[in-house]
Amino acid sequence: MIRKKLYPAPAEWPALTQRPVQQLAAIEPAIQAIFDQVKAEGDAGVKALTQKFDGVSLTDLWVTDAEIIAAGNLVPTALQTAIQEAAQNIKAFHEQQREPIRKVETVNGVTCWRKSVPIDKVGLYIPGGSAPLFSTLLMLGIPAQLAGCRSIILCTPPAKDGSVHPAILYTAHLLGINRILKVGGAQAIAALAFGTENIPAVHKIFGPGNQYVTVAKQLVGKLGVAIDMPAGPSEVLVMADATANPAFVAADLLSQAEHGPDSQVILLSDSEGLIQKVEVELETQLAVLPRREVAQKALNNSLGVVLADVNQMLAFSDLYAPEHLILAVKNYEQVADKVMNAGSVFLGNYSSESFGDYASGTNHTLPTNGFARAYSGVSLDSFVKKITFQEISAAGLQQLGNTVETMAAAEGLDAHKNAVSIRLKQLESL
């Protein structure tokens, strides 16, 4: 079921950790045509594209207040309660990410500090369809609200009858987000990036999507509109030794595999027997999964690697830099301290990735495709800018002025030097 590799030498690891190449450049012309139509036709262009790609004819692109309120009656009470509890946990975790202003006097009379300022206008893209990701709305909407973003616009594709999934509307209402567009795909990204007569342009776009949304975000990123992070297929790497529960490991692998046929699933172990037990569990659990065909395709491209010990497993994992890393190993706390590259880490046999996906409190919008080597997941920081400030007093000018003059002169930037010299001369004349 999964491709196995026994005790590969470190020289083989780079090839084993190579992701499939995404062939996305071929659809760039189609995305550019969508951009051009939205720029030229505005709201009418967005409606025409929604008709073309979603088969929905809309008279109004915006969700009405009545639709938002009505959605609450369509969401089961148990789900409402679950969403509320998840929201509380996500809020509690992200609230602690606020940074107080700390003023530092670097030398006498020179004071520097940094202040977090909210990004004024943000757009949140939430996929709909068969798997409406209201959980992602929690992950993006809560830190956006906590950061103080003045304008938050939600885009999500409509169903064939022009409605938006009630769980998405309920969650938006819970978070106080009431500017909701019935727009999906690349046309949604174009509308958020360029604006129309009735859709304001935003400064940063967040959220997952299909390959068209991914490419659209990449392209607007080149045009001055920020995006949350580069995106690729979702992925999990599980490190499991003989202390791991094979049924738990198999369940974690399948929970990732059911995302899509291109999901990345890797199992590392120092025990061949453990991998064999996991394979048996995979067959058993897969047989009853509603999305078993999707999961099976992902598993066909998955990898099980047997390595000498936990240190080799950790080195392999850091080379791969997984979006999700599960440590189902003995002494997992000590192993976790040594992790260098991962989006989010789950410690011990009971820490299923599903908790991070929904309700533990951490954010599930994470770097994929190896970007965990350099990128962090979405956090409160993603919705703010860090502006630095400095105040130079007369004493500071005298203390540090000559240093700046010397450095500016050495770089041949005389105007820079003069901006300090003219002030020093003025002080000397007093």
Side-chain angles (χ1 to χ4, degrees), residues 87 90-91 94 122-126 133-149 152-154 171-172 174-177 206-207 363-365 378-380 383:
I90 295 163
K91 182 178 180 181
H94 287 76
V122 298
L124 313 181
Y125 184 86
I126 304 299
L133 298 184
F134 57 86
S135 60
T136 299
L137 179 53
L138 291 172
M139 300 293 175
L140 300 178
I142 289 173
Q145 295 281 32
L146 290 174
C149 299
I152 302 173
I153 298 177
L154 166 61
T171 303
L174 179 69
L175 301 183
I177 297 173
F206 296 79
N363 208 290
H364 78 201
T365 308
V378 164
S379 67
L380 193 64
F383 293 88

Side-chain angles (χ1 to χ4, degrees), residues 185-341:
Q187 62 269 28
I189 304 304
L192 291 172
F194 310 125
T196 68
E197 57 267 40
N198 288 303
I199 302 172
V202 302
H203 301 145
K204 190 171 184 179
I205 299 173
F206 296 79
N210 61 21
Q211 61 181 348
Y212 288 90
V213 171
T214 296
V215 173
K217 286 175 64 181
Q218 291 173 348
L219 290 180
V220 299
K222 300 176 183 179
L223 300 174
V225 180
I227 63 171
D228 44 7
M229 68 186 74
S234 191
E235 57 200 29
V236 67
L237 185 149
V238 180
M239 290 172 49
D241 61 16
T243 67
N245 184 310
F248 294 175
V249 173
D252 287 332
L253 296 176
L254 288 170
S255 72
Q256 190 62 53
E258 74 173 352
H259 272 300
D262 56 353
S263 292
Q264 305 293 295
V265 177
I266 294 181
L267 171 61
L268 305 181
S269 184
D270 56 2
S271 167
E272 291 184 52
L274 185 280
I275 289 185
Q276 291 170 355
K277 292 176 182 177
V278 169
E279 285 189 302
V280 173
E281 282 291 340
L282 284 172
E283 293 281 2
T284 301
Q285 296 181 31
L286 183 65
V288 296
L289 274 185
R291 295 173 65 90
R292 57 183 171 273
E293 291 184 9
V294 171
Q296 181 66 71
K297 290 178 181 178
L299 288 177
N300 290 342
N301 297 316
S302 64
L303 183 64
V305 182
V306 180
L307 295 166
D309 52 37
V310 71
N311 291 324
Q312 281 204 346
M313 286 192 278
L314 182 59
F316 189 104
S317 175
D318 275 337
L319 181 63
Y320 182 73
E323 177 189 16
H324 305 98
L325 170 60
I326 297 176
L327 300 180
V329 295
K330 186 179 180 181
N331 301 323
Y332 53 76
E333 291 181 346
Q334 292 92 320
V335 176
D337 284 341
K338 299 176 183 177
V339 172
M340 295 295 293
N341 300 325

Side-chain angles (χ1 to χ4, degrees), residues 87-99 142-143 146-147 361 380:
Q88 290 173 356
N89 295 343
I90 295 163
K91 182 178 180 181
F93 181 74
H94 287 76
E95 275 184 327
Q96 297 304 311
Q97 297 170 12
R98 298 184 190 275
E99 290 187 11
I142 289 173
L146 290 174
L380 193 64

Side-chain angles (χ1 to χ4, degrees), residues 11 31-32 60 102 120 143 218 235 260 286 301 335 378 399 424:
I31 303 300
Q32 187 60 57
D60 190 353
R102 298 184 179 91
D120 193 36
Q218 291 173 348
E235 57 200 29
L286 183 65
N301 297 316
V335 176
V378 164
Q399 176 80 20
L424 286 171

